């Protein structure tokens, strides 16, 4: 059993304690926006926020979490897709297949919360998610667009 | 499970409109079944099918049917643009849906091919989808004209509104849709001249973005059916090996475990309530493999076999002119080099997965696939049922890159599992490790090139011998005739609209000695063009340097008869500032090739630090695809193609030890990330008159342009990839 605070709600789940948060979100709670890509915290498709910190949920056992820690998934980032990062992503038509994009968006949102005007070097260090379609240049541009309050230039 | 649950589920995955539930009609099998879209369906209030491609609802919303698969490449939006252009509908009211391959079968393949590979999504279907839109427009106009009792020739459609020009009366598509659906469709409606396009040809945003920003997009891996169980699978890690035995009892009592089943002769699956529990039990399951004779194969033994093919007599000629041997013997200077290219895994971000329900009477599969019809054939074969008693529901792909098109091994597996649990939906998800170990790999080849230069530095002879795997022999062996795989000469063919050689060399011989391994090859985004372009374009750079001629000028001398090849090369040279000084420490390299019906070229700018660290600063890339349906999506494809091509060039390599692939995850199969991504300047220069693809061609110029720039920077010729295996410090 585990008790988690997910997107503002307390949920009790009946799982083995070593179950990764990713699979609890996807299979017990039904939040499938967070994706499985590698299972070893390499690709970032599973990125969620834990107390505002971008966290790879595929390698994080639920037993390591308490109900005091606030977990936010892509479904909880904004009620209607209106988070500045989501708006910038829409403006620049960033996703291709889209599979990695929830993780990208969560990583970008966490970066901008801590560092509202990131440099290219900051983005290089903080955004380490894998995208096989190759959206990196639009991801970078969209982070800058979001940082600039939606204004280009 | 109830029909209502299924219908509700399918509504969620947008299979709405054409589901009618009836347990009786299916002999108690309670999946919804599909009613053909014909006139009956069109007569219903809810649906107004004008023809196979276009549905117009009373509220004027338009549903455009898309037969090809969306895997990120933007084909869904591009095809919708082409239909909407001819339909003259309001683009803001357009949505899309996939017909199923079962419906295609039932309707005499009204939607044509479902295959989505070879950068063919748009170029192979643009004409008939545009005619679908044009025919629907004519029917809607005719219906309005009939209602007004005026000639259709006096009416015009624009933005979903039909106007009777002489009187100014108007109506909308939605109001006349039901009447239009009852009309006889026109044959062979005329199409617009692309210069008059208003929707096609424009840099419109994609139709499928919103759900990808909120987590709402349902991929195959996200699918949930009522009562569904989850399966994890392991196949023998040595290709060709088999299951000897496994001890199901050892894991039977682990949490959530329902069944442990053998799948075919080479795999074992655990079925549990959740996938994580299935995987946990599978990891604990004792399995003994019969690895077979392939357990002795390694990268070294494969390389040895390929090397022997470089000088073997059993080669098939792909392109020949003059007398290469005599010309080489007479050359003032001979240049020789051997290149090679390793296995690559597609590594789609979404691992292979599918969900199946099997009963003795019917089998349905939900899966991300690049070819719904091939998935249906795989379903029927595995189910032991005729295709008419099966169907496949396509979901958006979390990446395809060729892995999800020609071979549907995972569909065979999921059906084989579901067949052992009749009536229960089972979702099979491959772990990343399974995905890495059981790919359909980019083929391995080596290439020996010998060039002859005359006293003036002109190329008089070129022999290019490719030795290695044939994808066609591995997947469609019936298509190999007299040892010839025509696809191996991609980009090197003497002519044709698909992938023609761009140089005129007086004495030329390009041949292939087929050398296949037990590692299964596949169509990996860019296919054979990837290594052919490296071999050709890096060696052209070597020849230019041996001749003491600028690499651009050296190529231009050979390209007078190939104006489209030359035009893209000139475009990148000009934009990049070839011949002008680069920023301090920055060096340039060029490459050009034709593939997938398009002409492409790239100029790379790189620097290499004193301690050998490579930085790729900028890529200028030009594409002439004939017609450009959505220029901003072409830019996205070109940018993405460099991530795919440069990931392979920098890191990509699947090595073989003891008959199995050694790289099991992204820790050992690294790919490019944002910090290594160069600026990409895309030049889209459609010259008209032909239709080329854009998803793949520029991948092929990524590596050779960078390798040639690395030579310019360091004097080092890298002839085997990936670059991670090389020390780039100046010699």
């Amino acid at each position: 059993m585990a008790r988690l605070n997910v997107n503002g709600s307390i949920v009790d789940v009946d799982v083995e304690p070593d179950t990764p948060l990713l699979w609890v979100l996807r299979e017990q709670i039904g939040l499938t926006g967070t994706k499985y890509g590698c299972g070893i915290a390499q690709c970032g498709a599973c990125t969620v926020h834990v107390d505002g910190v971008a966290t790879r949920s595929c390698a994080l056992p639920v037993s390591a979490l308490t109900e005091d820690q606030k977990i936010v998934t892509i479904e909880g980032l904004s009620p209607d897709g209106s988070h500045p990062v989501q708006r910038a992503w829409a403006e620049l038509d960033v996703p291709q297949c889209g599979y990695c994009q929830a993780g990208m968006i969560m990583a970008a949102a966490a970066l901008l919360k801590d560092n509202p005007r990131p440099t290219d070097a900051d983005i290089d260090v903080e955004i380490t998610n894998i995208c096989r379609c190759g959206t990196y240049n639009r991801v970078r541009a969209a982070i800058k667009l979001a940082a600039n309050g939606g204004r280009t230039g | 499970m109830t029909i209502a649950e299924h219908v509700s589920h399918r509504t969620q995955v947008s299979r709405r409109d054409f589901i009618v539930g009836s347990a009786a009609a299916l002999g108690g099998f309670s999946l919804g079944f599909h009613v053909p879209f014909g006139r009956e369906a069109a007569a219903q209030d809810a649906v107004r099918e004008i023809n196979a491609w276009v549905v117009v609802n009373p509220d004027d919303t338009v549903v455009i049917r898309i037969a090809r698969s969306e895997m990120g490449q933007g084909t869904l939006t591009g095809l919708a643009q082409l239909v909407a252009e001819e339909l003259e509908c309001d683009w803001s009211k357009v949505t899309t849906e996939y017909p199923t391959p079962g419906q295609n079968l039932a309707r005499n393949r009204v939607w044509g091919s479902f295959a989505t590979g070879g950068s063919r999504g748009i170029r192979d279907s643009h004409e008939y989808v545009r005619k679908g839109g044009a025919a629907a427009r004519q029917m809607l106009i005719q219906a309005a004209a009939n209602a007004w009792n005026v000639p259709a020739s006096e009416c015009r459609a624009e933005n979903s509104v039909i106007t009777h020009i002489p009187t100014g009366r108007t109506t909308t598509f939605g109001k006349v849709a039901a009447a239009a659906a009852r009309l006889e469709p026109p044959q062979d409606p005329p199409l617009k001249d692309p210069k008059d396009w208003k929707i096609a040809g424009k840099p419109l945003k994609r139709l499928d973005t919103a759900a990808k920003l909120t987590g709402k997009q349902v991929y195959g891996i996200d699918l949930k059916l009522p009562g569904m169980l989850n399966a994890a699978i392991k196949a023998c890690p040595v290709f060709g090996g088999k299951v000897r035995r496994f001890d199901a009892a050892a894991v039977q009592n682990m949490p959530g475990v329902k069944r442990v089943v053998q799948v075919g002769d080479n795999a074992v699956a655990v079925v549990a309530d959740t996938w994580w529990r299935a995987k946990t039990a599978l990891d604990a399951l004792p399995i003994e493999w019969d690895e077979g004779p392939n357990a002795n194969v390694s990268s070294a033994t494969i390389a040895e076999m390929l090397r022997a093919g470089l000088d073997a007599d059993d080669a098939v000629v792909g392109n020949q002119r003059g007398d290469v041997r005599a010309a080489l013997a007479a050359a003032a200077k001979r240049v020789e080099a051997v290149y090679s290219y390793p296995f690559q895994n597609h590594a789609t971000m979404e691992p292979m997965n599918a969900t199946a329900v099997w009963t003795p009477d019917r089998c349905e599969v939900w899966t991300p696939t690049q070819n719904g019809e091939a998935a249906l054939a795989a379903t029927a074969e595995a189910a032991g049922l005729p295709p008419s008693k099966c169907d496949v529901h396509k979901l958006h792909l979390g990446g395809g890159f060729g892995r999800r098109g020609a071979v549907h091994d995972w569909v065979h597996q999921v059906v084989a599992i579901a067949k052992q649990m009749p009536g229960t939906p089972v979702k099979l998800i491959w772990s990343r490790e399974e995905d890495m170990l059981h790919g359909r790999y980019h083929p391995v080849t080596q290439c020996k090139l010998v060039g002859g230069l005359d006293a003036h530095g002109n190329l008089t002879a070129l022999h290019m011998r490719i030795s290695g795997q044939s994808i066609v022999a591995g997947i469609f062996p019936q298509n190999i005739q007299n040892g010839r795989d025509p696809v191996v000469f991609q980009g090197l063919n003497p002519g044709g609209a698909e992938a023609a050689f761009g140089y005129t060399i007086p004495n030329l011989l390009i041949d292939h000695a087929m050398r296949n391994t037990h590692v299964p090859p596949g169509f990996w985004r860019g296919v054979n063009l990837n290594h052919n372009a490296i071999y050709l374009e890096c060696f052209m750079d070597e020849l230019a340097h041996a001749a003491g001629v600028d690499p651009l000028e050296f190529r231009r001398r050979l390209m007078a008869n190939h104006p489209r090849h030359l035009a893209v090369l000139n475009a990148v040279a000009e934009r990049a500032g070839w011949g002008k000084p680069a920023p301090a420490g920055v060096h340039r390299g060029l490459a050009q090739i034709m593939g997938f019906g398009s002409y492409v070229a790239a100029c790379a700018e790189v620097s290499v630090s004193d301690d050998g660290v490579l930085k790729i600063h900028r890529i200028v890339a030009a594409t002439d695809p004939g017609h450009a349906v959505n220029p901003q999506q072409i830019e996205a494809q070109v940018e993405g193609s460099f991530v795919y091509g440069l990931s392979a060039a920098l890191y990509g390599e699947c090595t073989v030890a003891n008959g199995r692939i050694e790289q099991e995850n992204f820790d050992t199969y690294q790919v490019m990330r944002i910090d290594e991504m160069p600026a990409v300047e895309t030049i889209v220069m459609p010259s008209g008159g032909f239709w080329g693809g854009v998803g793949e061609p520029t991948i092929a110029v990524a590596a050779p342009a960078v390798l040639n720039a690395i030579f310019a920077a360091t004097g080092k010729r890298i002839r085997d990839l990936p670059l991670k295996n090389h020390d780039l410090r100046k010699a």
Side-chain angles (χ1 to χ4, degrees):
Chain A
M1 286 292 290
R3 174 166 286 193
L4 301 171
N5 180 337
V6 179
N7 296 335
S9 299
I10 299 290
V11 287
D12 289 310
V13 290
D14 182 14
V15 294
E16 292 69 62
D18 58 352
T19 307
L21 173 62
L22 169 67
W23 293 101
V24 174
L25 292 171
R26 290 180 57 83
E27 299 199 295
Q28 267 80 21
I29 307 179
L31 295 172
T32 54
T34 307
K35 299 301 190 226
Y36 167 66
C38 68
I40 57 169
Q42 277 282 313
C43 77
C46 65
T47 304
V48 299
H49 296 169
V50 178
D51 288 336
V53 177
T55 303
R56 294 188 174 176
S57 63
C58 72
L60 180 67
V62 282
S63 57
L65 292 159
T66 69
E67 64 180 285
D68 302 329
Q69 289 172 287
K70 294 186 177 64
I71 300 160
V72 175
T73 70
I74 186 70
E75 291 90 345
L77 184 63
S78 68
D80 51 2
S82 63
H83 186 280
V85 170
Q86 289 167 312
R87 290 207 312 268
W89 248 246
E91 176 62 27
L92 298 184
D93 227 15
V94 173
Q96 291 189 30
C97 88
Y99 191 82
C100 73
Q101 296 292 326
M104 283 279 189
I105 288 168
M106 296 307 282
L111 167 63
L112 290 173
K113 183 169 156 289
D114 293 340
N115 180 355
R117 299 300 291 258
T119 64
D120 280 329
D122 296 335
I123 292 170
D124 285 348
V125 170
E126 296 297 330
I127 306 297
T128 56
N129 303 42
I130 293 174
C131 171
R132 292 288 282 157
C133 296
T135 59
Y136 296 134
N137 284 347
R138 289 196 186 192
V139 166
R140 185 186 298 279
I143 291 172
K144 291 179 176 176
L145 181 63
N148 212 17
R151 293 180 301 277
T152 50
Chain B
M1 77 201 100
T2 67
I3 294 160
E5 284 169 331
H6 273 290
V7 171
S8 144
H9 152 69
R10 294 199 192 177
T11 304
Q12 175 196 322
V13 294
S14 87
R15 298 254 60 83
R16 69 183 189 284
D17 295 344
F18 39 83
I19 306 296
V20 178
S22 169
L26 286 157
F29 180 48
S30 55
L31 268 180
F33 74 97
H34 307 287
V35 170
F37 295 125
R39 297 286 156 69
E40 312 90 308
Q44 295 171 14
D45 283 341
V47 181
R48 300 280 191 280
E49 174 183 309
I50 310 301
N51 60 26
W53 303 100
V54 175
V55 175
V56 178
N57 292 311
D59 64 357
D60 284 332
T61 54
V62 172
V63 180
I64 294 176
R65 302 243 177 78
I66 306 291
R68 311 291 172 129
S69 298
E70 178 57 47
M71 49 189 162
Q73 83 283 32
T75 295
L76 178 126
T77 303
L79 288 171
Q81 284 177 264
L82 289 170
V83 175
E85 179 68 54
E86 299 291 342
L87 183 60
E88 296 283 4
C89 69
D90 180 345
W91 179 250
S92 70
K93 292 179 175 149
V94 168
T95 60
T96 61
E97 71 182 14
Y98 290 142
T100 70
Q103 290 158 352
N104 201 32
L105 189 68
R107 292 183 66 175
N108 213 7
R109 294 192 85 217
V110 66
W111 290 284
S113 170
F114 279 41
T116 316
S119 298
R120 292 181 179 278
I122 287 175
R123 67 192 174 111
D124 270 11
S125 66
H126 66 88
E127 186 160 338
Y128 58 77
V129 305
R130 286 189 291 156
K131 284 188 174 167
R137 182 194 73 241
Q138 287 191 3
M139 293 161 77
L140 289 158
I141 288 175
Q142 187 65 56
N146 291 350
W148 291 328
N149 203 20
V150 301
S153 59
E154 291 180 5
C155 302
R156 188 172 59 131
E158 190 171 2
N159 220 28
S160 293
V161 174
I162 301 165
T163 303
H164 179 233
I165 309 289
T167 62
R169 273 182 296 187
T170 63
T171 187
T172 67
F173 280 9
K175 292 193 179 110
V176 299
R182 288 190 288 271
L183 297 175
E184 207 51 46
Q187 296 302 310
D188 208 24
L191 298 176
K192 288 183 179 178
D193 188 319
K195 72 175 165 42
D196 299 325
W197 283 351
K198 296 174 293 190
I199 297 171
K202 304 303 175 199
L204 303 183
K205 288 189 183 173
R206 299 172 64 110
L207 293 170
D208 55 343
T209 296
K212 293 175 177 174
L213 306 180
T214 57
K216 290 197 176 77
Q217 179 70 55
V218 176
Y219 298 85
I221 200 170
D222 304 326
L223 189 80
K224 189 166 185 188
L225 293 179
M228 183 182 81
L229 298 176
N230 291 272
I233 197 163
K234 265 187 196 170
C236 180
V238 177
F239 307 105
K242 295 178 170 53
V243 176
R244 183 171 286 146
R245 64 179 72 87
F246 59 94
D247 182 10
V251 301
Q252 204 78 60
N253 296 323
M254 288 181 69
V257 172
K258 306 288 185 188
R259 291 281 297 275
V260 182
V261 297
Q262 182 160 342
V263 184
D265 62 1
N266 75 334
V268 183
V270 174
V271 182
D273 56 351
T274 69
W275 186 78
W276 182 255
R277 286 172 172 153
K279 180 193 182 297
T280 303
L282 182 64
D283 287 344
L285 178 68
I287 308 173
E288 195 179 316
W289 305 109
D290 171 10
E291 296 184 346
N294 293 328
N296 298 321
V297 179
S298 68
S299 287
T301 63
I302 293 170
E304 185 59 35
M305 177 180 67
L306 265 53
R307 201 170 301 120
L310 294 175
D311 297 304
D313 293 331
D314 61 333
V316 170
V317 174
N319 194 349
Q320 189 169 25
R321 180 191 171 101
D323 184 342
V324 131
R325 285 182 177 86
L328 284 173
K333 191 171 191 178
R334 273 172 66 113
V335 181
E336 183 173 321
V338 174
Y339 284 77
S340 67
Y341 194 88
F343 291 118
Q344 307 277 350
N345 189 296
H346 298 81
T348 60
M349 290 306 296
E350 181 192 22
M352 299 306 111
N353 67 82
T355 303
V357 187
W358 184 92
T359 72
D361 301 312
R362 187 159 177 84
C363 183
E364 301 211 22
V365 164
W366 289 255
T367 194
T369 171
Q370 292 176 240
N371 188 342
E373 291 184 302
L376 177 61
T379 299
E381 189 182 318
L385 290 166
S388 60
K389 292 189 168 181
C390 302
D391 210 347
V392 169
H393 308 277
K394 298 195 302 178
L395 293 124
H396 275 5
L397 288 73
F401 313 128
R403 178 63 181 89
R404 293 183 151 115
V407 178
H408 286 83
D409 39 353
W410 73 96
V411 171
H412 279 272
Q413 288 179 341
V414 74
V415 172
I417 297 167
K419 208 171 167 178
Q420 299 182 57
M421 309 180 77
T424 299
V426 179
K427 175 161 73 179
L428 170 68
I429 303 173
W430 284 15
S431 66
R432 175 58 59 192
E433 289 76 13
E434 193 67 9
D435 202 275
M436 290 297 299
L437 292 180
H438 294 285
R440 288 275 163 171
Y441 302 86
H442 190 298
V444 282
T445 54
Q446 295 183 11
C447 184
K448 181 175 177 179
L449 301 109
V450 187
L453 298 164
D454 68 15
H456 307 289
N458 295 308
L459 183 63
T460 55
L462 175 67
H463 180 199
M464 185 169 177
R465 160 63 64 86
I466 302 163
S467 168
Q469 268 184 309
S470 156
I471 304 169
V472 173
I475 296 182
F476 306 114
Q478 67 277 15
N479 293 351
I480 299 287
Q481 293 187 340
N482 302 323
R484 167 180 288 271
D485 169 359
V487 186
V488 298
F489 299 110
Q490 225 177 359
L492 308 173
N493 297 301
E498 179 68 18
F501 194 60
Y503 301 111
T504 300
I505 301 168
N507 300 284
L508 176 70
L509 177 61
I510 303 175
D511 52 9
H512 174 236
M514 194 185 295
R515 293 292 184 274
N516 292 318
T517 80
H518 80 302
V519 179
F523 296 97
W524 191 94
R525 189 179 179 188
V527 196
N528 295 302
L529 198 69
N530 295 324
H531 51 255
N532 288 347
I534 292 171
Y535 302 154
L536 176 66
E537 288 300 290
C538 289
F539 194 64
M540 290 304 275
D541 205 69
E542 295 203 41
L543 289 165
H545 284 275
V549 179
D550 172 82
L552 175 62
E553 177 56 27
F554 186 81
R555 287 178 172 83
R556 281 175 172 165
R557 290 180 187 176
L558 305 168
M559 297 178 78
N561 299 328
H562 309 276
R564 284 185 165 127
H565 291 81
L566 181 60
V568 289
L569 181 65
N570 281 337
V572 297
E574 184 181 351
R575 173 74 69 87
W578 187 268
K580 295 175 187 159
V586 173
H587 299 267
R588 297 189 178 115
L590 287 171
Q592 68 81 26
I593 199 85
M594 181 199 182
F596 308 96
S598 291
Y599 302 82
V600 298
C603 181
E605 292 186 342
V606 315
S607 60
V608 179
S609 70
D610 289 342
D611 49 358
V613 177
L614 170 71
K615 182 166 175 59
I616 306 167
H617 299 271
R618 177 170 82 136
I619 305 264
V620 177
T623 300
D624 177 1
H627 291 287
V629 174
N630 187 324
Q632 73 98 351
Q633 280 305 304
I634 294 176
E635 286 177 18
Q637 284 306 292
V638 171
E639 285 183 14
S641 78
F642 284 103
V643 176
Y644 216 65
L646 294 177
S647 288
L650 294 170
Y651 302 111
E653 175 184 42
C654 298
T655 53
V656 180
N658 302 317
R660 71 200 77 199
I661 297 295
E662 293 187 286
Q663 292 73 21
E664 296 192 12
N665 209 317
F666 288 118
D667 53 347
T668 47
Y669 191 75
Q670 283 286 338
V671 298
M672 176 188 255
R673 299 177 196 234
I674 203 168
D675 61 330
E676 294 174 303
M677 182 68 192
V680 176
E681 293 176 29
T682 303
I683 304 168
V684 183
M685 42 190 288
S687 60
F690 65 100
W691 290 73
V694 298
E696 295 170 273
T698 41
I699 295 172
V701 286
V706 166
L707 292 173
N708 291 338
I710 287 173
F711 174 79
T714 64
K716 287 194 168 178
R717 284 288 173 201
I718 307 299
R719 300 191 181 95
D720 59 285
L721 293 175
L723 282 160
K724 74 178 170 80
N725 296 340
H726 295 273
D727 179 356
L728 294 184
R729 283 176 295 186
K730 287 193 182 72

